Each structure stands twice: as structure tokens, then as C-alpha cells.
Amino acid sequence: MSAADFPLAVAPAAAVLLLTVATRPAESAAVAPLRLAVVRAALLTGAYAVLVVEVLGALHALTRPAFVAAWLLFLVAAAAVVGWRRSRDTVQRGAPATEPRTRTLVGAGVGEAGAGPAATLPSGPASGATDTHRPRYGRAAPLAAFWRTASRGERLLAGTVGGLVLLELLVALLAEPNNFDSQTYHLPKVEHWVAQGDLDFWATAIHRQVTIPPGAEYLLLHLRLLTGGDRLHNLVQWAAGVGCLLVAARITAQLGGGRRAQLLTAIVLASTPMVVLQATSTQTDLVCAAWVACAATLVLDGLRRRTGWGTLLGLGAATGLTAVTKTSGLIAVGPLLLLWGIAQLRSAWTGAGARRTGGLARTVGGSVLILLVAAVVVGPFLARVTAEFGHPLGPPRLRESIPMERHDPPSILVNALRIGHTAFDTPLAPLRRAGAEAIIGGADAIGVDPQDRAITFGREVFPVPAWYPDEDRVAFPLAGSLALIGAVVALARPRRIDPEQVGALRGYAVVVLATVALHTAMIKWQPWGNRLLLYVLVLAVPLAGLWLDALFRHRAHTPAAPPAGAGGRRSIAALVAVAVLATSALAGVLALSYGFPRRLVGSGSVFTTSDWDTRFLRRPQWAEEFQWAATAVRDSGARRIGLVEQNDNWEYPWWLLLRRPDGSPPELVALQSVLPERPPADPSSVDAIVCTGGRSACAKLVPAGWRLEFRGYVGYALPPGR
């Protein structure tokens, strides 16, 4: 990325900042208004980014000038809204004081707080020694004020979270994209769009390049065209991780948590190794989790008041962005919207006569609006998939590989136990072995094959170790256990957390537990299934923060003469909580330091490993092989190059190595295709062939008389005379 590209690269971030100012709620009753504004800004920017890709793709105009013009237009519009908002606020500040607005069940469009009475300061127990100075939840205290009023423990929590986020940013900027799936289909997908100038499907042997929802890759496409490369690609997931932290903390506040509870939520989530590692990658799970969290926080705003049109649009955008990023996220959005609908109907039912009828009509209309907005965001992609495969969820190969194919209770139970075993894995091998043996034995006892292909992805075999800090499979036993305990406590004994938030806590806990149950009933077990659970973890962690805060709060307010043994039990519980938090923070630091395939220290460090070698840390032996083959093809003067690959082979290195001298993409065409309506190119129509995988598969497609060379994983073929 050149210096001239930098202003363009920061355009999306500048748009979010401007919209954060423009959409900040005017009502003082709003819970965490700055974070609410960030949610609104992120949804607006995300939806705009997706629609820009769809519109320009339909016009065959996926080009750098078109994207530059789109972002300049968006920035001008955002700046204009900020100017209008400031002028309006200035006029209102100069107007005579009026009676305070009554916080009733009304919506107020963009400026609505969406919180109502729930936004008031809980009158429950304080959250620490400095709680007498705690700011109201609806007000964002400056950093200096926070540092002055915070306790030593709160400062430590905030500093740890901030340090992790900044170190993740450093790794994200220094490390080249090296995620396995990104080499296979995430990043090749972006390069195909750039080369074509549109979103039409193409012949390919890797069906995931066209069948998997492309929402996160749409965001990468903007950076690719604005900067000319992939230098900033990791920042999409990093920004999503920051968004998850902010929204999870806001959810905690909406459920009655004070400053300490919000910081506890943030530290548990920020130090989870899966979050730490994904925040520096080009995977898509954190992006999906961020959109799900946005939907959750907007739903909670609607539990005690009618939702305004602005929030309805936000819920629609969050639903659509989740669907176009990763359809599994809808497993959570569905129950969340159901909770919202029940709360809205209940509010309407408390009215009388015309007010009740109007409230019911408003809820139905709002539901329709949410679905319409979601359809605008995800509809174009689904339409292309349906036209290509005859089904909105893609070909049978995709529909049968990940979703469960058996739904009888014993099979669902076995699948849930295996998913739980992998999610809660620890370095203690005897514990892993004993748990797996118990699950396998129990499955046999109830007549279920624990390796049944109908409930197991591909040819994978349960169990697998998942404790090692690898971005694709690392377990989260601490965060998962805390979230599970918090959900159970919120459901069974919500008054221990906050007596004034009983209904909200129970409703949210039901959504979290229902999401877990639905996920295990709908998604097959797979070794890397932990990353697919990331959206559930982000949704559930606020309950962990609330429960931990309750432990500390009850210890701090133990009566002078507690029942025998009660004070000791509370002290022990608080000490255990401190130990768990310290262990969790240590796990986050270790994941950032030694995680794979990006780390700060040791072999493969981002400070000591070359850019090219960083890309191949998953498969170091392939780095030289790709360069060897690409050099031979470039030296031959080939322009049109054929691809031979299998479903899980790396394609992205070819797009980098065979890029033309002027920086434009190479002309790569597939010599195999799994898309019935997209025939592969004729091998005789290309100037050279590059292959990955096995020599035999490549040899079948090489025309007679061509020279075929192979080294391990990579090969190439050239016609006579080249």
C-alpha cells in the first residue's frame, strides 16, 4: 500500500466515526449512548458496503475508481449529517427549558434511546468501593474521569483489555494473511471479483468460492480495491473483535451491570484465545459474531419500550448482514427477534382499545420491515445462488456437509456432547480421553454411531485435541464455563444478579440456551467447530460478567454477622473468581504470544519471519514450491493460465505470484468445475497450467506433448516451445 492509498484506506473508519457522531441518541435515558451510536454507525456502514458491492457488481463496475467515488459520496453525506446534527443540537441548547420527556413506550427514530426505564441506574447493590462515584450508565465518562474514579482492580481490567486489543492490532498489521481457508476460498473469491469486475459465478473446483455467503469478503473487497493489495485485510476481523467487546459490554449494562460488570465481561471475552487469534486473521467468524451482537443489543433496547423506526431498520440490517456473512448466525438472530416480538406484543397488549390495535399493527409492520431490510441486504446473493443451483442454500454438497442430517433425540444428544467435549477441551489428556470414552460408550448404549456421517462432518473422527491455541480449533473452557454458569444463574436465580432485571435476565438467558440447543441440533460436529460457536460465546459472555460481578458484590456486602460459614463460602467463591480471571487473562496473553499461525515470539514470530514465509506458516514446505512453479510460468510469457486443483487446495498464492507487472490480476481459468452450468476451460486454450495437490490429477488434464514438472504439492505444465 502506497502513501497515496492511505487516505482511501481510512475512508471506512472515517465514515464510522462520522456516523457515530451523527447517530448518537439524544435521550439521556439511553444505555451507553456512545456504544449505541457505534452499533448504529457500524450497521449503516456495513449495509452500505454490501449494497455498494451488489450495485456495482450488477453494473460490472467493481473497479477502484467506482469504489473511491462511492466512499467519497458516503463521507460527504456522513459529514453533512454531522453538520445538521450539530446545528440542531445548538438550537435545542439555546431553546427554553421544557418539561422532561416522559419515558413511555414510544419510538423516536434515529434519536431514540431504545431503552426506556431499563436505562435508569439500577438501585441494586453497588459494584465496588468506588461505586459512589460511578457514572450513570447512559453517560460516557471521559477516560481521565474513569481513571480517577476507578478502583485498582477496574484499572487493571481495563488496562489488560486495552493492551490485548493494541497488541492484536500490531499483529494484524504486521502479519500477512495466512489463514488456511483464506488461501483456499476467502481471498481467491475477492481476486475473482476484481479480475471479472462483477459478481457472476465462475467455473471452479472449489465450490466454497461461490456457495459460502460472502459478506465478510465484500468488506475485504473494499480494502482490496482501495489499497491495491491485502496489507490491511486482517483489520476487518480486528475491527469486528473490537465491536464485539463494545457491544458485549453494552449488553451487560442493559441487563443491569455496572462498570465493573462491564469490564469483567470485556476481560473474559477479550482474553478468550479464539477471539485473540481470530482478531488478527482473515477468517469470518468474528464478523458474524459482531453482527449477531448488534442484533442482540438492539433487541434488548426493545424489551421495555416500543421500538422506533430507526431501530427497526437497524435490526433489519443486522439480520441481513448476519445472513450474508454466515448463515449459522441466524440460529441466534431468530430467537432474538422472537424475544423482541414477544416484548413488543406484550407492550401493545397492555394498552386498551385503539392503542392496543395500533400497537399490534405496529409490531406486525415492524416485523415485516425487519425482514424487508434483511432481504435487501442478503437477497441479491441468495437470488444468484438460487438461479445457479435451484436452492437458496446452494448445492446438495453444501446442504449435506455441515447441517445435521439426523434429528432424532439420541443423535442430537450425541452431537451436543461431542461439540461440548471439543469446546471445553483442556491440555489435560487424561480428562479429554475419559470424557471421549464416556461419550462414545454412551452413544453405543443408545444405538448411535459416534462417527456417523449424518452427524459428523466429512471423514473426520471424534475426538480431537482442541486445547492448543490454533485459530481454527482452540477450545474455550474458561469462558465457556463462565458463560454457561452465568446463563443458568440468570435463568434460575436472576435476583442474585439484579432484582430489578429479572424478566430481562431470564429472557436473555433463554435466548442464549436456546441458541446453544439449536446449534447442536443443526450443525454437525467437526474438529474446527469451536470457531463456528464464536457467535454463541459473544452472545453469552455478558451473563458471565454479570455473574462474576454478583460474586464480588455479595462478598463486599456480607452482613456483619452472616450465617455460619456463609462469609467463608463467599470469600472462597470470590477468590476462585479472581483465580479464574487471572488464568483467563494469562491464556489470552499466551495465545497472542505463541498462538498459531500468527504469534509475537518464538518460531514464526511476526517480527522475525518474512512476509512470504508468514503466508505459509501452515505449510512451510509449499512456499518454495509455489515460487518455483510461478517463476517458470512467468518466464514462459504465458498470459492465460489454467488451474488444476481439488476442493481444499490453496489457490490464493497464484493470484499473488502471477500478478501482471502493472499490478492487474492474472488471467486464471479453471480446468475443472463443480458448477454444472459453468463448464471449465479447454486445456488447449491456455498458455500454461499450474497445479496443486496430486500429480496424477494434473496429468489427466495436461494436453499431449506438454512438459509437466512437479515438486511435492505444486506443479506446472508448459506447451512445446515455451
Side-chain angles (χ1 to χ4, degrees):
M1 181 180 67
S2 65
D5 293 326
F6 181 77
L8 297 175
V10 301
V16 172
L17 291 176
L18 286 171
L19 289 173
T20 299
V21 176
T23 62
R24 186 161 180 171
E27 281 195 22
S28 61
V31 178
L34 182 58
R35 277 170 273 171
L36 175 57
V38 171
V39 169
R40 292 171 172 174
L43 290 173
L44 279 170
T45 306
Y48 178 78
V50 169
L51 294 177
V52 163
V53 172
E54 291 290 358
V55 171
L56 294 181
L59 297 174
H60 305 282
L62 297 180
T63 62
R64 177 184 169 91
F67 274 66
V68 170
W71 279 108
L72 290 178
L73 177 64
F74 194 56
L75 285 171
V76 169
V81 174
V82 170
W84 169 81
R85 175 71 185 270
R86 288 187 171 179
S87 298
R88 190 194 67 173
D89 291 347
T90 299
V91 171
Q92 289 180 347
R93 282 196 298 268
T98 58
E99 289 297 319
R101 295 178 62 180
T102 303
R103 289 177 290 179
T104 56
L105 296 171
V106 295
V110 174
E112 118 212 23
T120 58
L121 185 65
S123 58
S127 65
T130 63
D131 281 333
T132 55
H133 303 289
R134 183 176 58 188
R136 290 174 62 87
Y137 302 147
R139 308 190 178 208
L143 181 60
F146 161 77
W147 204 255
R148 185 174 60 253
T149 60
S151 67
R152 186 176 301 173
E154 290 171 342
R155 293 176 184 176
L156 179 61
L157 291 174
T160 302
V161 172
L164 286 170
V165 168
L166 291 176
L167 286 175
E168 288 163 7
L169 175 61
L170 177 65
V171 174
L173 289 171
L174 292 178
E176 301 292 323
N178 62 359
N179 174 263
F180 195 102
D181 285 347
S182 296
Q183 306 279 10
T184 300
Y185 69 96
H186 289 311
L187 300 186
K189 186 185 302 187
V190 174
E191 295 301 323
H192 276 286
W193 293 332
V194 174
Q196 297 177 172
D198 58 39
L199 299 173
D200 290 346
F201 291 161
W202 53 89
T204 178
I206 304 173
H207 77 88
R208 292 174 294 174
Q209 290 183 358
V210 296
T211 57
I212 298 292
E217 291 91 339
Y218 281 175
L219 304 181
L220 293 177
L221 176 61
H222 285 267
L223 291 178
R224 168 66 175 84
L225 288 172
L226 292 176
T227 67
D230 60 11
R231 186 76 246 179
L232 301 183
H233 279 9
N234 291 332
L235 293 186
V236 171
Q237 280 263 109
W238 177 83
V242 173
C244 287
L245 293 177
L246 294 175
V247 180
R250 182 172 192 261
I251 291 172
T252 305
Q254 289 173 289
L255 294 173
R259 184 169 65 192
R260 183 175 59 199
Q262 296 171 49
L263 288 171
L264 289 169
T265 295
I267 189 63
V268 171
L269 185 59
S271 61
T272 300
M274 179 65 78
V275 175
V276 170
L277 295 170
Q278 287 234 357
T280 62
S281 83
T282 47
Q283 262 294 6
T284 63
D285 304 285
L286 268 179
V287 178
C288 174
W291 299 136
V292 171
C294 287
T297 195
L298 294 180
V299 163
L300 287 177
D301 277 343
L303 292 190
R304 285 186 173 87
R305 63 178 296 148
R306 292 180 191 160
T307 301
W309 297 112
T311 298
L312 289 173
L313 293 173
L315 283 170
T319 302
L321 288 168
T322 300
V324 81
T325 301
K326 215 173 185 71
T327 50
S328 57
L330 295 177
I331 296 173
V333 174
L336 283 167
L337 292 180
L338 181 61
L339 176 65
W340 170 84
I342 292 172
Q344 294 294 295
L345 288 173
R346 183 178 179 182
S347 297
W349 198 253
T350 59
R355 183 179 177 185
R356 177 183 298 180
T357 303
L360 293 174
R362 183 185 179 90
T363 301
V364 173
S367 302
V368 172
L369 179 61
I370 291 171
L371 296 178
L372 286 175
V373 173
V376 169
V377 175
V378 71
F381 168 71
L382 293 181
R384 288 194 298 276
V385 172
T386 303
E388 189 75 27
F389 302 104
H391 195 288
L393 297 181
R397 181 176 186 175
L398 177 63
R399 301 198 305 271
E400 295 169 3
S401 61
I402 298 177
M404 287 274 285
E405 297 177 80
R406 290 181 57 178
H407 296 91
D408 55 290
S411 296
I412 293 174
L413 175 61
V414 171
N415 193 55
L417 291 173
R418 294 183 307 166
I419 290 175
H421 180 274
T422 305
F424 290 89
D425 190 26
T426 71
L428 303 175
L431 182 61
R432 179 190 313 117
R433 187 164 49 249
E437 290 173 354
I439 292 171
I440 292 172
D444 292 337
I446 60 177
V448 177
D449 178 3
Q451 315 300 346
D452 185 354
R453 296 304 102 189
I455 61 174
T456 305
F457 180 86
R459 300 178 181 178
E460 305 301 328
V461 177
F462 172 84
V464 296
W467 64 269
Y468 183 78
D470 183 303
E471 67 173 351
D472 284 336
R473 63 174 63 194
V474 62
F476 34 80
L478 290 176
S481 298
L482 292 173
L484 182 60
I485 293 171
V488 171
V489 173
L491 182 65
R493 303 187 68 180
R495 294 184 181 278
R496 288 184 60 85
I497 295 176
D498 192 330
E500 297 184 2
Q501 299 285 345
V502 171
L505 285 166
R506 278 186 171 151
Y508 192 77
V510 167
V511 166
V512 169
L513 295 174
T515 300
V516 173
L518 288 171
H519 184 99
T520 57
M522 298 174 68
I523 306 296
K524 293 178 180 178
W525 175 87
Q526 50 191 286
W528 42 88
N530 288 343
R531 65 180 181 80
L532 302 183
L533 281 167
L534 195 53
Y535 75 99
V536 185
L537 183 70
V538 172
L539 202 64
V541 160
L543 297 176
L546 289 163
W547 175 67
L548 288 170
D549 182 61
L551 283 182
F552 291 117
R553 190 172 63 230
H554 292 158
R555 177 179 179 273
H557 291 81
T558 300
R569 287 195 300 271
R570 289 168 179 167
S571 297
I572 292 173
L575 289 175
V576 169
V578 170
V580 168
L581 286 172
T583 304
S584 179
L586 178 61
V589 172
L590 290 176
L592 193 57
S593 301
Y594 297 100
F596 194 74
R598 290 165 304 280
R599 57 177 54 170
L600 287 171
V601 298
S603 176
S605 166
V606 293
F607 297 114
T608 60
T609 308
S610 70
D611 292 349
W612 187 249
D613 288 338
T614 297
R615 295 180 185 276
F616 286 85
L617 283 173
R618 286 254 179 223
R619 299 291 187 273
Q621 68 275 20
W622 294 350
E624 188 275 333
E625 294 176 8
F626 270 99
Q627 288 182 316
W628 160 76
T631 299
V633 170
R634 284 198 311 269
D635 291 346
S636 73
R639 301 280 296 176
R640 181 176 166 87
I641 303 165
L643 285 172
V644 178
E645 56 195 3
Q646 286 75 56
N647 184 56
D648 206 30
N649 288 174
W650 286 19
E651 180 182 312
Y652 186 58
W654 298 127
W655 290 97
L656 298 174
L657 290 168
L658 298 175
R659 190 171 291 180
R660 293 173 180 171
D662 63 358
S664 61
E667 185 180 359
L668 297 179
V669 295
L671 302 185
Q672 310 140 289
S673 180
V674 294
L675 277 67
E677 303 300 322
R678 309 281 172 173
D682 186 337
S684 63
S685 70
V686 300
D687 303 322
I689 296 174
V690 292
C691 310
T692 51
R695 181 188 182 99
S696 59
C698 185
K700 293 177 182 178
L701 293 168
V702 174
W706 284 40
R707 175 169 57 93
L708 174 61
E709 301 284 346
F710 231 92
R711 284 190 185 177
Y713 179 76
V714 177
Y716 70 91
L718 294 173
R722 283 190 179 270

